[in-house]
């Protein structure tokens, strides 16, 4: 509002009327409210001649349009009318006046927040029943995405609230500076479809700056508009509704600021442009498809391929490659349940379980404990003792006592080429998905092809033979070679050789795809050969490049190639890649690299690094050991936006968790496995794994999609 008064856009003869009656501003923080009021009043008085009351004294004109309120509460039933009514009766009168005003322009920079970072914050987001329901009935209802949590981000709520708040008769304009991820996000497809119907014209200036990307893509995104505090892409959006010229769908005009621009370059373009009508801005008209894609639209051919995932899990008749899949394990307390040291993990879990049980006994002794809010008020939120989440709060509410189980400590993969000890437990892992069906016991053998469609980095794929974390290679969806069902011993038949203890092993590959492949290629096709075919195909550059937009938005669908020789080439390559990526620790060091400083016998790491930015042929392992002559080609093997080598460098460093103070030292893993050189050997192995992976992928058959 201050900038508006200073802009000169308001004609002098209109300024007083607008200031007194037509401008409104909301602020929920008391100090910010007073500062805003002072700034707005000063801007008004600076823009007007000093008034005189006839006796030489200037008149002070307060800004009556500012309200101390939660903007979103203004749309909730009765809530806004009562807000601060006892403490600030004048404020309540302003709330009522604003609610009655026919608002035609809404401008702002809404907060970009999807929720509290941790339940230990004990600062849950305010609930807005009516607003959330409006989002559910519009944006979420129009979405085909499986996960729509991002639709309840505060900036999306701001769009919904503002759309509903515009004057229904006169329409108006919404102008926001927001997170720009909604432009191409899979989960915001329903949002895009809805605003296309609800407005007549839409203007989007994409300022880019997405620093959740890496490598060349990150450099293309350019500078962060809001400096070091911002990692998200930023967009300026104008939504225009004109009831006198309603359209069935909006005309969407889009302008991309361009590649490789610094923050200063972008701000200069904004200053020079000044308006959407500037001839310096090159607008193009977007033509959304039926899926709600505005940018990077999907390829129609992709829908003709066979899906990896079944529509319904465990459906043996599913016309898909797999009958089942699952998200990786989400613990919501990684610092507590993962550690390189099994003994440190044991100590951490015993400590937090003991603390939790003490809280149960404490709550049991309290009266009137039926209310969740009251329990929260009595819980000890000390992050050095526990990380609270929804599930263990529910257990606390029920008075459930937990005990430490040594059998729950297993080895899991946390990130690419990074194993850690995991306390695998329904009690202290927030969501374990179907991992117990994939690995029901420590002796269970299995392979999981883990895929992750990523808006930032495209398709990520990596295999594992153990329990995968949710963020193992992105937002991990695991497709198993097998899944297991528990069968009491008396139900197992005498010759069920596929049983593992009391578990019956089932094929993860569907009968549909097995029979399809056998008809196409012959009866020698097995579930293993199809499984490895999938892994090989998912690495193919032709496939990934052609369908890059689809693979950012949905789980893979892949073709069965026409030539049987190509099928076996993909299958054999997939098997070779799987062997490399599962047994990476056993791969010998790449012969071309030189290792200096081995005589020191100092193999401990704190943090590996490159000598300088851009020099990746050398890695400073520690103060004693240096690795030289690493081929640039090795960095071409990328998983989830980062080279395999850099994953090892990032993950194998000593870290201290900020909230809990827990130390996670990769050198402990080396000690416990009896190989002080483990981390050095791992890095040297992964260099070789990367070189061999690049070679195998380059040797995959070329695909001609016109023939599929």
């Amino acid at each position: 509002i201050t900038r508006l008064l200073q802009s000169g856009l308001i004609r002098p003869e209109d300024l007083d009327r607008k200031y007194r009656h037509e401008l409104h501003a909301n602020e929920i923080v008391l100090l910010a409210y007073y500062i805003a009021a002072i700034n707005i009043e000063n801007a008004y008085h600076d823009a007007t001649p000093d008034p005189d009351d006839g006796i030489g004294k200037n008149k002070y004109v307060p800004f009556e349009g500012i309200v101390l309120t939660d903007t979103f509460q203004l749309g909730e039933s009765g809530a806004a009318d009562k807000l601060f009514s006892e403490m600030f009766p004048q404020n309540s009168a302003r709330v009522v006046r604003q609610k009655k005003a026919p608002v035609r322009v809404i401008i702002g920079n809404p907060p970009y927040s999807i929720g509290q970072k941790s339940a230990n914050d004990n600062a849950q987001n305010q609930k807005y029943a009516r607003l959330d329901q409006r989002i559910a009935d519009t944006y979420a209802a129009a979405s085909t995405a499986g996960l729509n949590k991002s639709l309840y981000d505060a900036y999306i709520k701001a769009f919904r609230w503002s759309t509903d708040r515009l004057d229904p008769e006169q329409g108006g304009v919404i102008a926001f500076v927001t997170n720009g991820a909604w432009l191409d996000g899979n989960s915001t497809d329903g949002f895009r479809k809805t605003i296309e119907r609800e407005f007549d014209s839409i203007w989007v200036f994409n300022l880019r700056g997405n620093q959740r990307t890496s490598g060349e893509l990150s450099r293309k995104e350019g500078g962060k508009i809001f400096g070091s505090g911002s990692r998200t892409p930023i967009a300026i959006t104008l939504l225009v509704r004109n009831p006198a010229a309603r359209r069935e769908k909006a005309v969407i005009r889009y302008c991309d600021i361009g590649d490789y621009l610094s923050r200063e370059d972008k701000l200069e373009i904004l200053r020079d442009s000044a308006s959407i009508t500037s001839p310096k801005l090159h607008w193009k008209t977007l033509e959304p498809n039926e899926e709600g894609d505005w940018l990077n639209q999907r390829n129609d051919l992709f829908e003709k391929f066979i899906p990896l995932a079944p529509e319904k899990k465990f459906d043996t008749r599913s016309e898909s490659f797999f009958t089942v899949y699952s998200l990786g394990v989400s613990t919501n307390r990684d610092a507590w349940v993962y550690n390189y040291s099994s003994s440190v993990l044991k100590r951490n879990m015993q400590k937090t379980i003991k603390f939790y049980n003490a809280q149960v006994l404490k709550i049991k002794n309290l009266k009137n404990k039926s209310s969740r809010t009251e329990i929260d008020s009595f819980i000890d939120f000390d992050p050095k003792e526990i990380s609270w989440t929804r599930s263990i709060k529910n257990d606390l509410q029920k008075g459930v006592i937990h005990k430490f189980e040594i059998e729950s400590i297993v080895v899991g993969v946390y990130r690419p080429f990074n194993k850690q000890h995991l306390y695998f437990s329904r009690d202290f892992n927030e969501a374990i998905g179907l991992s117990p069906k994939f690995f029901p016991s420590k002796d269970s053998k299995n392979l999981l092809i883990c895929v992750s469609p990523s808006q930032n980095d495209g398709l990520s794929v990596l295999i594992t033979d153990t329990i995968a974390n949710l963020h193992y290679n992105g937002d991990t969806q695991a497709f198993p070679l097998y899944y297991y069902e528990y069968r009491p011993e008396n139900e197992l038949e005498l010759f069920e050789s596929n049983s593992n203890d009391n578990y019956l092993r089932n094929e993860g590959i569907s009968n549909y795809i097995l029979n399809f492949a056998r008809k196409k290629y012959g009866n020698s096709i097995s579930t293993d050969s199809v499984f490895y075919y999938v892994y090989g195909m998912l690495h193919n550059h032709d496939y990934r490049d052609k369908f890059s937009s689809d693979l950012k938005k949905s789980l893979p669908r892949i073709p069965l190639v026409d030539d049987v020789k190509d099928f076996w080439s993909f299958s054999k390559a997939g098997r070779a890649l799987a062997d490399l990526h599962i047994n990476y620790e056993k791969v010998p060091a790449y012969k071309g690299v030189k290792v200096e400083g081995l005589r020191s016998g100092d193999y401990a790491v704190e943090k590996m690094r490159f000598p300088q930015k851009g020099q990746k042929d050398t890695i400073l392992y520690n103060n004693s050991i240096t690795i030289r002559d690493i081929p640039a080609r090795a960095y071409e093997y990328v998983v989830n936006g980062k080279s395999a080598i850099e994953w090892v460098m990032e993950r194998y460093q000593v870290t201290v968790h900020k909230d809990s103070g827990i130390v996670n030292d990769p050198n402990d893993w080396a000690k416990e496995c009896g190989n002080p050189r483990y981390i050095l050997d791992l890095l040297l192995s992964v260099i070789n794994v990367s070189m061999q992976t690049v070679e195998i992928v380059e040797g995959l058959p070329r695909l001609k999609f016109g023939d599929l």
Side-chain angles (χ1 to χ4, degrees):
I1 301 297
T2 302
R3 296 288 183 242
L4 177 62
L5 293 171
Q6 294 171 338
S7 68
L9 291 172
I10 301 175
R11 294 180 301 184
E13 61 268 29
D14 296 329
L15 184 60
D16 185 66
R17 183 187 80 253
K18 289 192 174 293
Y19 177 78
R20 292 174 184 268
H21 305 293
E22 297 179 13
L23 297 181
H24 302 274
N26 296 333
E27 177 54 65
I28 187 61
V29 179
L30 189 59
L31 179 59
Y33 165 84
Y34 283 120
I35 293 173
I38 292 169
N39 286 337
I40 293 168
E41 288 166 1
N42 282 338
Y44 169 72
H45 287 288
D46 288 344
T48 56
D50 288 342
D52 189 270
D53 61 358
I55 56 175
K57 292 183 179 180
N58 292 338
K59 290 182 178 178
Y60 164 66
V61 183
F63 180 53
E64 299 285 350
I66 191 165
V67 179
L68 183 65
T69 187
D70 177 348
T71 300
F72 293 161
Q73 281 288 5
L74 294 176
E76 300 298 305
S77 179
D81 297 334
K82 300 175 182 178
L83 205 59
F84 306 116
S85 59
E86 294 182 4
M87 294 178 62
F88 303 105
Q90 184 184 39
N91 188 74
S92 295
R94 291 181 182 180
V95 167
V96 173
R97 185 164 68 102
Q98 185 188 124
K99 288 186 71 176
K100 292 180 178 178
V103 174
R104 295 192 60 190
V105 178
I106 301 175
I107 61 175
N109 174 22
Y112 317 161
S113 170
I114 202 167
Q116 62 180 353
K117 293 181 179 179
S118 165
N120 282 49
D121 297 339
N122 195 26
Q124 293 90 343
N125 281 6
Q126 176 70 42
K127 299 295 184 182
Y128 308 101
R130 179 176 290 183
L131 180 56
D132 289 346
Q133 188 60 50
R134 286 287 293 142
I135 291 173
D137 293 341
T138 55
Y139 305 157
S143 176
T144 58
L147 296 173
N148 56 23
K149 180 181 178 183
S150 62
L151 291 177
Y152 296 87
D153 192 300
Y155 82 94
I156 298 290
K157 288 183 177 180
F159 276 110
R160 183 68 268 164
W161 181 90
S162 301
T163 302
D164 293 340
R165 183 63 182 87
L166 285 179
D167 187 297
E169 295 183 3
Q170 299 296 320
V173 178
I174 296 169
F176 281 162
V177 179
T178 69
N179 182 334
W182 66 268
L183 270 168
D184 200 26
N186 185 37
S187 60
T188 49
D189 61 334
F191 171 70
R192 293 190 297 272
K193 293 175 188 175
T194 303
I195 62 173
E196 189 183 353
R197 292 194 304 267
E198 292 182 332
F199 292 90
D200 301 297
S201 63
I202 298 173
W203 302 73
V204 182
F205 191 9
N206 187 358
L207 304 180
R208 310 275 287 277
N210 185 359
Q211 292 306 308
R212 299 186 188 280
T213 55
S214 58
E216 188 66 17
L217 185 55
S218 175
R219 288 186 284 276
K220 276 188 174 184
E221 286 291 303
K224 297 176 281 189
I225 295 298
F226 293 111
S228 60
S230 166
R231 294 185 65 199
T232 63
I234 302 299
I236 299 174
T237 306
L238 281 77
L239 306 176
V240 183
R241 180 190 289 164
N242 182 2
R246 287 294 288 133
R247 301 173 186 267
E248 185 176 340
K249 288 189 176 182
V251 175
I252 303 169
R253 294 181 175 86
Y254 174 79
C255 182
D256 189 320
I257 201 164
D259 296 337
Y260 303 110
L261 296 176
S262 68
R263 175 176 181 267
E264 290 68 29
D265 293 336
K266 295 177 182 181
L267 295 179
E268 184 177 353
I269 290 171
L270 285 173
R271 281 191 296 269
D272 290 347
S273 302
S275 167
I276 62 170
T277 60
S278 170
K280 296 181 179 181
L281 297 181
H282 303 289
W283 297 95
K284 66 178 181 179
T285 301
L286 300 182
E287 298 290 344
N289 60 18
E290 291 183 3
E291 288 80 15
D293 298 333
W294 288 12
L295 308 173
N296 302 315
Q297 294 186 354
R298 304 168 214 214
N299 191 311
D300 292 339
L301 181 59
F302 188 78
E303 287 298 314
K304 298 179 181 179
F305 296 158
I306 302 167
L308 241 57
E311 290 187 7
K312 183 179 179 182
K313 294 177 182 179
F314 303 108
D315 181 1
T316 57
R317 296 172 296 177
S318 176
E319 295 185 1
S320 56
F321 274 89
F322 291 85
T323 59
V324 64
Y325 68 106
S326 174
L327 285 168
V329 174
S330 174
T331 77
N332 286 17
R333 55 176 59 79
D334 285 0
W336 290 94
V337 302
Y338 279 99
N339 205 280
Y340 287 107
S341 168
S342 59
S343 59
V344 171
L345 176 59
K346 176 182 176 181
R347 187 163 61 247
N348 289 341
M349 289 308 303
Q350 287 176 329
K351 173 185 176 181
T352 199
I353 291 171
K354 181 180 178 181
F355 181 83
Y356 163 82
N357 288 335
Q359 293 292 296
V360 173
L361 296 177
K362 173 184 174 182
I363 297 298
K364 279 185 176 180
N365 292 328
L366 296 173
K367 295 181 179 180
N368 302 320
K369 58 180 182 295
S370 58
S371 167
R372 176 70 169 269
T373 304
E374 288 183 14
I375 284 184
D376 279 355
S377 66
F378 289 111
I379 290 175
D380 188 338
F381 286 95
D382 185 351
K384 296 189 180 301
E385 299 291 343
I386 198 167
S387 178
W388 290 105
T389 55
R390 175 187 51 80
S391 63
I392 60 168
K393 276 189 179 182
N394 289 340
D395 287 352
L396 179 69
Q397 179 102 4
K398 297 172 185 176
V400 177
I401 294 291
H402 291 304
K403 64 178 181 177
F404 174 79
E405 302 280 357
I406 191 66
E407 298 82 10
S408 294
I409 295 182
V410 299
V411 172
V413 284
Y414 187 64
R415 295 293 184 269
F417 307 101
N418 176 235
K419 293 178 180 176
Q420 296 190 38
H421 297 287
L422 162 67
Y423 190 78
F424 183 52
S425 160
R426 290 184 184 275
D427 297 334
F428 288 90
N429 300 160
E430 190 71 1
I432 60 176
L434 295 176
S435 291
K437 285 190 173 292
F438 300 163
F439 298 99
S441 73
K442 289 185 177 181
D443 298 325
S444 302
K445 303 297 183 183
N446 210 345
L447 297 177
L448 310 178
I449 295 176
C450 298
V451 301
S452 173
S454 168
Q455 200 61 44
N456 295 328
D457 300 303
L459 177 68
S460 171
V461 57
L462 192 59
I463 200 167
T464 184
D465 61 352
T466 188
I467 298 169
N469 182 270
L470 174 63
H471 301 303
Y472 169 48
N473 65 321
D475 290 330
T476 299
Q477 298 275 10
F479 292 83
L481 180 58
Y482 310 115
Y483 67 92
Y484 293 84
E485 291 181 294
Y486 178 75
R487 296 277 294 275
E489 190 172 351
N490 60 356
E491 292 185 12
L492 291 173
E493 296 182 10
L494 181 62
F495 298 105
E496 282 184 336
S497 58
N498 281 349
S499 63
N500 177 17
D501 296 328
N502 285 356
Y503 295 95
L504 181 65
R505 194 180 77 185
N506 299 285
E507 300 290 349
I509 296 293
S510 72
N511 289 331
Y512 166 81
I513 199 65
L514 183 62
N515 293 332
F516 195 140
R518 283 176 174 170
K519 288 179 182 178
K520 196 174 182 72
Y521 308 124
N523 290 331
S524 61
I525 303 298
S526 65
T527 54
D528 280 15
S529 58
V530 174
F531 182 82
Y532 290 120
Y533 170 85
V534 169
Y535 198 56
M537 178 63 74
L538 291 176
H539 281 84
N540 180 266
H541 286 313
D542 293 335
Y543 168 77
R544 292 168 70 123
D545 292 344
K546 180 73 173 179
F547 304 104
S548 60
S549 294
D550 301 86
L551 295 171
K552 288 179 179 181
K553 296 175 169 67
S554 61
L555 288 170
R557 306 172 73 98
I558 62 177
L560 284 177
V561 292
D562 287 335
D563 193 329
V564 64
K565 292 180 181 179
D566 286 345
F567 172 87
W568 283 113
S569 293
F570 277 111
S571 185
K572 289 175 182 178
R575 190 182 294 269
L577 289 168
D579 182 58
L580 275 175
H581 300 161
I582 292 168
N583 300 307
Y584 61 90
E585 296 160 299
K586 300 175 183 177
V587 175
Y590 183 68
K591 293 182 180 179
V593 300
K594 296 178 182 178
V595 184
E596 301 173 355
L598 287 176
R599 290 186 179 181
S600 67
D602 178 14
Y603 303 114
V605 297
E606 288 190 6
K607 183 176 182 178
M608 291 177 263
R609 58 187 177 87
F610 297 116
Q612 59 186 6
K613 187 175 181 179
Q615 184 186 349
K616 294 186 176 182
D617 63 340
T618 300
I619 294 175
L620 305 179
Y621 177 82
N622 59 20
N623 290 334
S624 304
I625 296 176
T626 300
I627 303 169
R628 300 189 186 278
D629 297 339
I630 302 168
R633 185 179 172 86
Y635 291 96
E636 293 176 16
Y637 176 43
V638 172
V639 180
N640 194 28
K642 191 177 300 178
S643 72
I645 295 170
E646 288 168 289
W647 274 116
V648 174
M649 294 175 68
E650 176 189 292
R651 300 316 311 176
Y652 286 89
Q653 62 175 293
V654 180
T655 60
V656 180
H657 186 242
K658 180 181 178 182
D659 295 333
S660 65
I662 292 173
V663 177
N664 198 10
D665 187 346
N667 299 293
D668 290 339
W669 182 278
K671 293 173 186 175
E672 290 187 6
C673 74
N675 177 15
R677 284 183 46 134
Y678 174 86
I679 301 171
L680 175 62
D681 290 340
L682 173 66
L683 178 59
L684 297 173
S685 294
V686 169
I687 294 171
N688 197 359
V689 167
S690 299
M691 292 293 287
Q692 291 190 52
T693 297
V694 171
E695 183 178 353
I696 293 171
V697 170
E698 287 183 348
L700 288 170
R702 298 302 304 269
L703 293 176
K704 298 178 181 178
F705 296 102
D707 299 333
L708 293 175

